């Protein structure tokens, strides 16, 4: 993975002025809709320009609402059925149903979860990120889906592996039939961390030093969160060949994606969204 010479397993597409990335492995399922959003295609201005999907970052609510309308129209999903969560950098995976519908996309959510799963068609699951790692899951045998927000804390808590386990436990099916897409997030190039995060990464037991970590010897460490999440998915039983990883770094590409670190927090939010359509996977 992360082999610069290999073709990306993601394709950039546009619809109705909204551009988004799609993982080729998930695009191959006709009964599935998914997207990893980027900055372009919305109506927000200034530091939120333009497809900001964050409702609590100070952007004008009417513009955020319009951004949701454009994205949902571009993907052919129902805005009123979109389910999100309060993301708290923990490892709770919530089983989503119609009870999670809100009056509007601007309405607050009264539960926390960093992972969402369902097997009900036409309920799009959405997670947010701006450097953190978004992961989408499709269980091809049990016709279930998942969306995961993995920042460094969630990554070290194995939220990705726990989402795979819960998909299997709740809906049947086996991890070997799960397909996963790891979206753009901060790369090892730009994710400088303290020793605490570096030590936590190594303690996951996913491989040796320098495989996904760097210690410059001067007290600076770098960690590859996308590669760690890939390895966590493999350890949970997802076949390596079923996992697509977008190697793009949100910090390096901060005009294309929102990056919390590159903007010192003055930013909008991108999202990863996935839905089963009524026909199923
Ligand atoms: Zn970078």
């Amino acid at each position: 993975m992360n082999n610069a010479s290999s073709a990306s397993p993601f394709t950039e597409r546009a619809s109705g002025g909204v551009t988004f990335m799609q993982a080729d492995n998930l695009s191959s399922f006709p009964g599935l809709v998914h997207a990893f959003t980027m900055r372009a295609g919305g109506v927000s201005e200034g530091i939120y320009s333009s497809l900001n999907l964050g409702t609590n970052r100070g952007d004008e609510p009417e513009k955020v609402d319009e951004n949701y309308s454009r994205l949902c129209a571009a993907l052919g999903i129902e805005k009123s059925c979109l389910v999100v969560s309060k993301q708290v950098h923990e490892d709770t995976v919530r089983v989503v149903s119609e009870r999670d519908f809100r009056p509007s996309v601007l309405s607050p959510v009264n539960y926390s979860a960093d992972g969402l799963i369902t097997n009900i068609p036409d309920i799009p699951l959405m997670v947010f990120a701006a450097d953190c790692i978004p992961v989408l899951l499709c269980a091809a045998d049990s016709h279930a889906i998942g969306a995961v927000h993995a920042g460094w804390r969630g990554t070290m808590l194995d939220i990705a592996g726990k989402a795979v386990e819960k998909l299997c436990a709740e809906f049947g099916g086996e991890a070997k039939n799960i397909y996963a897409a790891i979206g753009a997030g901060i790369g090892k190039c730009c994710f400088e961390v303290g020793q605490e995060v570096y030590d936590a990464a190594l303690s996951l037991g996913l491989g040796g030093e320098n495989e996904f970590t760097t210690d410059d010897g001067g007290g600076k460490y770098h960690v590859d969160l996308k590669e760690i999440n890939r390895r966590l998915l493999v350890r949970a039983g997802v076949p390596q060949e079923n996992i697509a990883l977008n190697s793009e770094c949100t910090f390096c590409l901060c005009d294309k994606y929102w990056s919390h670190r590159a903007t010192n927090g003055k930013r909008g939010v991108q999202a990863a969204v996935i839905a089963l359509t009524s026909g199923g996977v």
Side-chain angles (χ1 to χ4, degrees):
M1 299 303 292
N2 280 334
N3 182 343
S5 65
S6 66
S8 169
F10 282 70
T11 302
E12 184 174 327
R13 294 197 169 86
S15 174
V18 178
T19 54
F20 46 86
M21 300 297 286
Q22 289 184 317
D24 297 341
N25 61 348
L26 299 187
S27 296
S28 68
F29 292 104
L32 199 63
V33 176
H34 84 285
F36 294 85
T37 71
M38 302 187 291
R39 289 188 62 160
V43 297
S44 295
E45 296 170 359
I47 60 170
Y48 309 108
S49 176
S50 62
L51 192 75
N52 169 40
L53 298 169
T55 58
N56 58 355
R57 302 205 58 81
D59 194 2
E60 294 173 45
E62 302 75 22
K63 289 188 170 153
V64 179
D65 188 60
E66 173 62 16
N67 290 340
Y68 273 93
S69 296
R70 288 182 178 213
L71 175 66
C72 291
L75 299 176
I77 57 178
E78 184 54 53
K79 193 169 96 168
S80 61
C81 300
L82 203 56
V83 171
V84 303
S85 59
K86 202 183 296 173
Q87 297 177 178
V88 290
H89 297 279
E90 291 175 3
D91 61 356
T92 300
V93 178
R94 179 180 181 86
V95 181
V96 167
S97 70
E98 292 88 345
R99 76 182 187 283
D100 298 319
F101 290 169
R102 292 167 297 158
S104 101
V105 291
L106 303 174
S107 306
V109 180
N110 62 6
Y111 53 83
S112 315
D114 288 272
L116 302 169
I117 59 172
T118 193
N119 66 347
I120 305 172
D122 301 319
I123 301 185
L125 309 178
M126 179 178 271
V127 290
F128 305 102
D131 283 342
C132 290
I133 314 302
V135 182
L136 297 179
L137 302 168
C138 170
D141 52 0
S142 62
H143 306 286
I145 52 173
V148 174
H149 158 257
W152 77 259
R153 289 187 188 84
T155 298
M156 302 313 165
L157 291 168
D158 191 14
I159 177 92
K162 286 170 182 166
V164 167
E165 277 171 30
K166 194 151 183 174
L167 264 178
C168 297
E170 287 287 329
F171 306 121
E174 297 178 81
K176 69 178 185 189
N177 296 315
I178 288 178
Y179 292 76
I182 300 170
I186 196 163
K188 186 182 177 188
C189 42
C190 297
F191 193 48
E192 188 181 305
V193 297
Q195 188 167 358
E196 171 198 17
V197 179
Y198 175 79
D199 288 346
L202 286 179
S203 72
L204 289 169
L206 296 167
E209 205 159 339
N210 295 324
E211 289 184 40
F212 47 80
T213 58
T214 306
D215 173 1
D216 77 349
K220 288 182 180 169
Y221 304 89
H222 286 249
V223 168
D224 186 343
L225 290 179
K226 281 177 279 192
E227 174 60 16
I228 293 171
N229 277 286
R230 192 187 69 79
R231 291 180 184 221
L232 289 168
L233 290 168
V234 170
R235 188 165 74 182
V238 180
Q240 192 153 306
E241 61 272 21
N242 288 10
I243 303 172
L245 186 152
N246 187 344
S247 58
E248 289 179 306
C249 169
T250 45
F251 191 111
C252 288
L253 298 171
C254 62
D255 292 330
K256 182 175 180 181
Y257 296 103
W258 269 291
S259 166
H260 183 79
R261 286 195 170 199
T263 57
N264 292 315
K266 296 187 177 70
R267 57 165 177 86
V269 177
Q270 56 231 352
V273 60
I274 187 166
L276 293 164
T277 57
S278 297
V281 175

